Amino acid sequence: MSDKASSKRRHENPSNLIKLLRNHRKDALKSLARMLFSPLSSSMTVIVIAAALLLPSLLFAFNTNIAALLGEFQNNARIVLYLTRGTSDTQALEVSNSLLTSNAIDSVDFISNEEALLSFSDAAGFSQIVADFEANPLPASIVITPNLAGLAELDQLAASLDQIPEVELVQVDSLWLRRLAAISELLVLAARVLGLIVLLSLCFIIGNTVRSHIENRRDEIKIIKLVGGTHSYIARPFLYIGLFYGLLGGLLASLLQALIFLSFRNPLNEIFSLYDSSFTLPLLAPAMLITLAFSGATIGWLAAIISAYRYVNAIST
Amino acid sequence: MISFDKVSKQYISGQYALAGVSFEIAKGQMAFVTGHSGAGKSTLLKLVLATEKCSSGNVVVNGTDLNHIRRREIPSFRRRIGMVFQDHQLLNDRSVADNVALPLDISGFSRRDALRRVRAALDKVGLLSKEKKFPAALSGGEQQRVGIARAVVNRPSIILADEPTGNLDPELSMETMEVFEQFKNVGVSLLIASHDISLINRMEYRTLILKGGALIGDTGLGELS
């Protein structure tokens, strides 16, 4: 048989996959056309979906940046070792040198009690009072810059430093970091709870929209069932409707989020710089925006599956 | 092709729509089902199309035992049957060609192949010139013929028709019957529910007579191919 003849036969008897793809393309286009046929109600639905997606997404983005900010501050955390009164400068320097051998410590800075007193009188403006002291009341200290990622490791290091005989007191400047970390954890929790609520709400909104589309075409569905339409054939256009609503809602939410970040970026960066932080609010990563759109599409598709399964099956012939 | 063995259909109210009906329709046979309103004609067709299940007895269509058919098997079963409805059941937002193409669309035919078959079916019922019109622009008789074209476009082995001439004048009724005869002549089995006695008498085909759900007569007039 010639190639031309076999090509013609293939064209007339396409594989099931080709038939399926052809039907999907057709249904997708029809569903889009149906949405465009009623632009006002479709737009309203898309806006509601976008607003619902935007809130948890913003919380997640906000928290991601707080975590980054927290990381930067953690890198700047310091541990101060106040040495016992009898410790000589030589002993203190020996301690400093031995500390530098630890991987957990980036650098050390020894401050003798004389230097401390000088610094105190200069900084506080109590030079007259300091001059009246019979003896220097301030201890020598070692300021440590740790080379650690988390607060737990910082605590561990502080505990081990407390075991050094020459050390009277270990002071870790981390209370406010802990507060920020706790707020960050709370935000993660809030975003998760809100995400779950939004997920359920979106399922309800999209499911209900799909149900309304099904109800509008009830007679048509009955006829299609009578002439042998399968559940998937009948449901497919509605699944695309759910998918498109979710996708468009997700894209709009991405756009809004990008705009919000853009408008808040400069004022926030100015605040960070006032706190001597090199942290700058980044522009939203394209991956995050794509994730948001993809999430919307997935939720829309799943909600439509549930709705179509329920309501198409309920239509009897 | 169609076998009813002591088939009864009882509704929840307790009323029998069919009671102990038995008959067989062979391949290429054309038969009428007649009786007054409420005699059970439509119920009988619904059982053949698997839109309802019998309460007792056995219904076998195209070799499929409808008492044991699975829900997911019903669509493919129905695609092998062409059904002509009394109220046409056309989609008003689709053109004549799109209405007729519906079974082909479900079966996954390409637009080009479907259109070729649709035109052949419309030609057969004399409506080729109206393929782009919408059902609302057609007369009752024309709508009925669109329904017939849709029923035959998928080349079914069985055609069921529920009062296919109910809205037609005698001349159009005969034309419709002639279309049905053409399908019978190529081996399609036809079961036509009608209360038009004069038409049935003129056609001289086998006739099943129902009364109160019971089969009270079977003329058995041949036409077995």
Side-chain angles (χ1 to χ4, degrees):
Chain A
M1 190 174 284
S2 70
D3 284 351
K4 199 175 171 185
S6 76
S7 160
K8 188 181 175 190
R9 197 180 56 206
R10 270 202 306 275
H11 175 75
E12 285 178 351
N13 300 301
S15 70
N16 286 338
L17 181 67
I18 291 174
K19 282 182 183 177
L20 190 71
L21 291 175
R22 194 184 280 151
N23 283 339
H24 271 277
R25 188 186 60 184
K26 190 178 62 191
D27 287 333
L29 290 174
K30 271 187 186 172
S31 302
L32 207 56
R34 276 180 199 278
M35 285 171 70
L36 294 175
F37 188 70
S38 47
L40 189 67
S41 68
S42 296
S43 307
M44 293 300 285
T45 309
V46 169
I47 289 168
V48 169
I49 292 167
L53 277 172
L54 188 60
L55 206 58
S57 165
L58 273 177
L59 260 182
F60 269 116
F62 185 59
N63 184 65
T64 307
N65 285 293
I66 282 195
L69 189 64
L70 205 60
E72 197 204 78
F73 283 132
Q74 271 173 11
N75 289 338
N76 295 334
R78 299 283 181 274
I79 298 175
V80 182
L81 305 181
Y82 292 104
L83 304 179
T84 51
R85 195 155 292 279
T87 309
S88 67
D89 286 0
T90 317
Q91 283 175 307
L93 283 170
E94 275 173 15
V95 172
S96 295
N97 290 335
S98 69
L99 288 175
L100 278 174
T101 59
S102 167
N103 287 335
I105 294 170
D106 197 36
S107 64
V108 293
D109 185 16
F110 170 62
I111 300 168
S112 66
N113 53 354
E114 283 83 12
E115 284 171 333
L117 188 66
L118 197 63
S119 171
F120 176 72
S121 65
D122 285 351
F126 296 139
S127 52
Q128 190 54 51
I129 298 167
V130 167
D132 291 344
F133 285 160
E134 283 179 9
N136 184 353
L138 298 178
S141 60
I142 300 171
V143 180
I144 296 172
T145 305
N147 182 26
L148 295 169
L151 288 169
E153 285 90 344
L154 206 64
D155 286 343
Q156 240 174 5
L157 178 64
S160 70
L161 293 172
D162 203 25
Q163 303 301 313
I164 299 170
E166 289 83 0
V167 174
E168 173 95 40
L169 178 72
V170 178
Q171 193 180 61
V172 186
D173 186 18
S174 64
L175 186 61
W176 70 275
L177 278 179
R178 286 173 204 285
R179 285 175 183 153
L180 198 59
I183 290 170
S184 172
E185 276 175 28
L186 192 69
L187 280 176
V188 170
L189 185 68
R192 281 182 187 156
V193 171
L194 201 65
L196 190 69
I197 293 169
V198 163
L199 179 76
L200 293 174
S201 311
L202 282 180
C203 280
F204 179 76
I205 293 165
I206 297 172
N208 209 38
T209 307
V210 168
R211 185 191 65 82
S212 143
H213 278 268
I214 290 171
E215 281 303 319
N216 287 341
R217 295 170 64 191
R218 172 176 274 273
D219 292 339
E220 184 182 341
I221 290 170
K222 267 188 180 179
I223 294 169
I224 293 171
K225 279 188 170 186
L226 282 172
V227 297
T230 57
H231 176 86
S232 58
Y233 175 86
I234 297 167
R236 203 181 299 130
F238 301 111
L239 304 193
Y240 274 109
I241 284 176
L243 176 82
F244 288 141
Y245 274 126
L247 180 67
L248 291 173
L251 285 172
L252 183 61
S254 296
L255 183 73
L256 291 173
Q257 189 162 332
L259 286 174
I260 290 169
F261 258 65
L262 211 59
S263 52
F264 274 78
R265 196 166 178 247
N266 285 340
L268 280 174
N269 285 346
E270 208 171 309
I271 292 172
F272 294 141
S273 69
L274 287 173
Y275 279 91
D276 290 331
S277 170
S278 60
F279 181 81
T280 53
L281 192 69
L283 282 174
L284 274 176
M288 177 135 187
L289 300 180
I290 291 168
T291 304
L292 193 56
F294 181 75
S295 305
T298 309
I299 294 168
W301 179 264
L302 290 175
I305 286 176
I306 296 166
S307 188
Y309 182 82
R310 189 172 165 195
Y311 295 107
V312 169
N313 272 348
I315 297 174
S316 63
T317 48
Chain B
M1 294 300 277
I2 302 174
S3 168
F4 270 52
D5 182 21
K6 294 172 189 163
V7 173
S8 295
K9 174 68 185 175
Q10 189 180 18
Y11 288 111
I12 298 169
S13 61
Q15 190 190 351
Y16 275 92
L18 286 178
V21 173
S22 298
F23 67 89
E24 281 192 6
I25 306 285
K27 180 175 162 61
Q29 190 176 28
M30 181 160 149
F32 287 98
V33 184
T34 192
H36 294 296
S37 294
K41 305 188 292 292
S42 295
T43 303
L44 191 145
L45 295 186
K46 282 178 184 174
L47 292 179
V48 179
L49 195 62
T51 58
E52 288 194 13
K53 274 196 168 185
C54 62
S55 311
S56 64
N58 284 316
V59 180
V60 179
V61 179
N62 267 339
T64 305
D65 181 352
L66 297 189
N67 283 353
H68 297 106
I69 192 168
R70 290 180 193 163
R71 195 182 162 97
R72 63 186 167 84
E73 292 169 339
I74 291 176
S76 65
F77 165 79
R78 283 187 189 155
R79 285 200 292 274
R80 287 180 284 144
I81 295 176
M83 178 79 193
V84 180
F85 301 93
Q86 184 177 9
D87 52 358
H88 323 311
Q89 300 274 23
L90 300 178
L91 301 172
N92 290 320
D93 61 343
R94 296 195 195 184
S95 68
V96 164
D98 285 342
N99 266 285
V100 177
L102 186 59
L104 302 174
D105 193 35
I106 292 167
S107 300
F109 276 75
S110 71
R111 181 75 190 159
R112 196 165 67 170
D113 291 343
L115 203 60
R116 207 171 51 212
R117 280 206 190 189
V118 165
R119 284 188 173 147
L122 284 174
D123 193 28
K124 203 156 239 164
V125 297
L127 285 176
L128 187 53
S129 61
K130 303 204 170 172
E131 64 173 327
K132 286 179 183 163
K133 292 212 182 291
F134 283 81
L138 304 179
S139 68
E142 286 171 330
Q143 288 186 21
Q144 189 63 283
R145 282 187 281 159
V146 174
I148 292 169
R150 186 182 61 191
V152 302
V153 75
N154 220 3
R155 296 173 189 164
S157 51
I158 295 173
I159 293 175
L160 306 175
D162 192 5
E163 303 287 357
T165 58
N167 302 315
L168 308 182
D169 57 46
E171 194 180 339
L172 271 175
S173 296
M174 279 311 292
E175 279 180 22
T176 303
M177 287 301 146
E178 280 163 17
V179 172
F180 285 147
E181 276 186 315
Q182 287 175 31
F183 289 104
K184 179 194 80 69
N185 292 337
V186 293
V188 177
S189 306
L190 291 105
L191 191 57
I192 302 162
S194 175
H195 62 260
D196 189 345
I197 299 295
S198 62
L199 179 82
I200 292 169
N201 287 340
R202 264 183 289 163
M203 297 300 292
E204 294 187 342
Y205 282 106
R206 181 182 175 189
T207 305
L208 307 170
I209 304 162
L210 291 172
K211 187 175 183 184
L215 184 63
I216 58 163
D218 183 351
T219 62
L221 281 175
E223 290 305 325
L224 285 164
S225 55

